[in-house]
Amino acid sequence: MRPQALPALGLALPLLLLPLPPPAPSTAPPAPRFDATWESLDARPLPAWFDRAKFGIFIHWGVFSVPSFGSEWFWWYWQEKKIPTYVEFMKNNYPPNFKYEDFGPLFTAKFFNVSHWTDIFQASGAKYIVLTSKHHEGFTLWGSKYSWNWNAVDEGPKRDLVKELEVAIRNGTDLRFGLYHSLFEWFHPLFLEDKSKSFQQQQFPVSKTLPELYELVNKYQPEILWSDGDGHAPDYYWNSTDFLAWLYNESPVRDTVVTNDRWGYGTICKHGGYYTCSDRYNPGHLLPHKWENCMTIDKFSWGYRRDAGINDYLTIEELVKQLVETVSCGGNLLMNIGPTHDGTISAIFEERLRQMGTWLKVNGEAIYETHPWRSQSDDVTPNVWYTSKRKQKLVYAIFLEWPTSRRLLLSQPIATLGVTKIKLLGHGQPLNWTSLKPNGLLVELPHLTFHQMPCKWGWALELTNVI
């Protein structure tokens, strides 16, 4: 920096060059770098926001939403497996020469109202969403340079659906934005050729999968990258460790991005960020590694089904139970919906999401930013699950059935007279309780009518100063 000119005094003054002060030493440690090995990548700490979030929404949307019959695996079951119900469905509803590619123009997203979607998601109490940017059919919901003429910009909607949702989520909600991406594609000729040679060549990942992944991350900066669909090919075929090293070291989301465990045959429940282990994974006990229960409101399909009956959908009571069990055992719940081909979220999905949000408005304190307690569930009273906040010395007992006696037996907590306090979330008044020997306590619940209940479908007690 040069000093400002002095006021003119009629004298010529020499120009002074003052030395710059030395830069302050950096107090921040350099960001760790990760090598392209599972040993190094698996040592990366999971960004803390993910464990705090607890609840997310999965969105399965694609060309499979057009036939909307049976499953999002419709193309595979119809053309490869030739399952009779799928073959008959096509025979009875479409012309003889109709191909799966002909569904592309019918995937219109005509009534896709992104503001309505984000309103539902915000109301649900979810903290992140994961959209299927590309499923195993290969159709991308953005105008990928590597999926020419089989994407939502060139075909069908003629819109960048990924961008529209990304902008709306980030500008209009407090949710994190995530993307699902399938490594393989059922019928892509390059993948089939690689497969025929026992994956000893890598035409498909080099020309298709990896360029797409780099494109997705650089363009949309997802904070969750949910990989799937290894096609029984090992991780070295997909070059997964090199990609993840770039993602963690160089990418624009390197500090916040979270990944799962589906990066090649044999990696699931073994390598990656958090574990999914299988679809609808809910072990019912504490795991030593962070995990996620990805599950569906529709019991039988991830994509929208026109042939679904009312009993095919989980009730809100069943969904709350899934959430409580999952969080008590250290997991996150990723609850799936399937929009229609024209971009609407059916009433039953919207109702379930809004119901979950209603429940979380009262009981979210017992879910968000909690940790597993020393006991995950009660040994004596069924359908009681525990969470905790260690720093605040709080334990939460979430019970899914209101006892007719209004007395709830908790066998696990050890209380202290004059120190322990108990209240019902949404009610607020201190509750009376009796200590049991050698441990446990009996809580007297308030006398409430159905309409006075703070919520439906499950309740939570806040226990202060118990061990």
Side-chain angles (χ1 to χ4, degrees):
M1 293 287 290
R2 291 178 176 173
Q4 292 183 350
L6 295 174
L9 298 176
L11 298 173
L13 298 176
L15 184 64
L16 300 177
L17 294 176
L18 300 179
L20 291 173
S26 175
T27 58
R33 290 190 64 83
F34 302 95
D35 299 328
T37 64
W38 285 121
E39 182 181 9
S40 178
L41 297 169
D42 289 346
R44 176 184 183 255
L46 196 70
W49 73 261
F50 183 75
D51 181 59
R52 294 196 295 260
K54 304 302 183 189
F55 174 44
I57 298 172
F58 217 169
I59 308 162
H60 271 67
W61 197 29
V63 171
F64 52 80
S65 306
V66 179
S68 54
F69 177 85
S71 167
E72 74 288 347
W73 280 55
F74 182 91
W75 194 3
W76 180 261
Y77 292 153
W78 169 41
Q79 292 285 359
E80 180 68 20
K81 295 298 183 181
K82 302 190 187 306
I83 295 176
T85 52
Y86 289 79
V87 174
E88 285 298 311
F89 174 82
M90 290 303 298
K91 182 179 178 181
N92 294 335
N93 294 284
Y94 294 92
N97 296 323
F98 196 93
K99 299 177 181 178
Y100 190 82
E101 293 88 335
D102 296 327
F103 284 124
L106 304 178
F107 178 61
T108 63
K110 184 177 181 180
F111 301 112
F112 174 46
N113 182 337
V114 73
S115 297
H116 184 58
W117 279 36
T118 53
D119 178 69
I120 295 171
F121 299 159
Q122 184 74 51
S124 74
K127 297 302 181 184
Y128 60 98
I129 64 114
V130 178
L131 171 70
T132 52
S133 68
K134 184 193 79 171
H135 201 257
H136 312 324
E137 65 190 11
F139 188 91
T140 64
L141 298 190
W142 81 101
S144 175
K145 294 184 292 186
Y146 308 99
S147 189
W148 178 80
N149 214 34
W150 190 233
N151 66 73
V153 174
D154 293 331
E155 188 75 277
K158 305 292 177 70
R159 297 161 66 177
D160 186 338
L161 301 175
V162 174
K163 187 65 177 178
E164 289 185 37
L165 186 58
E166 180 238 335
V167 169
I169 288 290
R170 289 189 164 136
N171 291 347
T173 76
D174 60 3
L175 282 73
R176 305 267 183 161
F177 181 71
L179 292 172
Y180 164 110
H181 179 270
S182 175
L183 296 174
F184 90 128
E185 298 173 20
W186 286 315
F187 301 111
H188 196 290
L190 292 181
F191 176 75
L192 295 177
E193 185 178 339
D194 287 353
K195 183 178 179 181
S196 71
K197 297 182 179 179
S198 302
F199 302 116
Q200 296 304 305
Q201 63 181 30
Q202 295 175 289
Q203 293 185 89
F204 181 71
V206 168
S207 63
K208 187 71 163 63
T209 300
L210 290 167
E212 276 182 351
L213 282 169
Y214 287 108
E215 184 181 46
L216 267 183
V217 172
N218 284 317
K219 194 169 185 179
Y220 305 107
Q221 301 186 18
E223 291 186 273
I224 300 171
L225 195 55
W226 216 100
S227 183
D228 191 27
D230 57 49
H232 299 287
D235 63 274
Y236 56 80
Y237 168 77
W238 297 111
N239 208 21
S240 296
T241 54
D242 281 339
F243 171 76
L244 289 172
W246 171 82
L247 185 70
Y248 296 164
N249 293 325
E250 310 292 344
S251 81
V253 289
R254 57 188 175 274
D255 296 327
T256 59
V257 71
V258 174
T259 62
N260 66 344
D261 55 352
R262 304 186 182 195
W263 293 98
Y265 186 76
T267 66
I268 194 167
C269 220
K270 185 178 179 182
H271 293 301
Y274 61 88
Y275 293 169
T276 63
C277 297
S278 67
D279 292 349
R280 303 177 179 88
Y281 182 69
N282 188 5
H285 58 83
L286 186 63
L287 296 185
H289 193 94
K290 183 63 186 180
W291 61 281
E292 181 182 67
N293 174 7
C294 59
M295 46 74 67
T296 59
I297 297 176
D298 180 344
K299 301 174 189 176
F300 305 106
S301 176
W302 299 82
Y304 175 73
R305 289 191 303 140
R306 286 181 285 176
D307 56 322
I310 190 66
N311 292 326
D312 292 343
Y313 297 100
L314 293 175
T315 65
I316 185 57
E317 291 86 355
E318 291 171 318
L319 292 171
V320 167
K321 184 178 181 181
Q322 286 272 332
L323 176 65
V324 171
E325 289 178 353
T326 298
V327 173
S328 295
C329 296
N332 280 19
L333 187 74
L334 185 61
M335 192 167 75
N336 180 75
I337 62 169
T340 65
H341 74 282
D342 53 13
T344 61
I345 296 174
S346 63
I348 192 138
F349 289 136
E350 179 175 353
E351 180 188 53
R352 294 293 186 269
L353 292 176
R354 291 190 184 276
Q355 286 174 325
M356 186 66 83
T358 299
W359 189 86
L360 283 166
K361 278 183 180 179
V362 176
N363 301 291
E365 181 185 332
I367 298 295
Y368 304 124
E369 301 188 23
T370 60
H371 303 280
W373 194 44
R374 60 175 174 81
S375 295
Q376 280 64 67
S377 60
D378 201 82
D379 291 343
V380 175
T381 305
N383 290 317
V384 175
W385 297 82
Y386 295 103
T387 62
S388 71
K389 290 181 177 174
R390 301 174 193 131
K391 290 183 179 179
Q392 296 93 323
K393 298 181 180 179
L394 296 175
V395 172
Y396 298 95
I398 308 171
F399 57 106
L400 303 178
E401 296 175 6
W402 188 278
T404 55
S405 67
R406 291 194 298 110
R407 292 183 176 182
L408 183 67
L409 173 61
L410 302 177
S411 68
Q412 293 301 308
I414 301 173
T416 304
L417 286 171
V419 177
T420 297
K421 293 181 173 58
I422 301 176
K423 69 176 184 179
L424 177 68
L425 294 187
H427 179 255
Q429 299 300 315
L431 303 182
N432 295 325
W433 54 272
T434 304
S435 184
L436 304 176
K437 300 297 182 182
N439 56 277
L441 49 92
L442 190 65
V443 182
E444 185 176 333
L445 298 174
H447 185 76
L448 301 173
T449 67
F450 179 78
H451 295 291
Q452 291 174 324
M453 291 279 187
C455 58
K456 307 173 185 177
W457 320 306
W459 304 266
L461 295 176
E462 179 191 271
L463 288 72
T464 307
N465 295 317
V466 297
I467 58 174

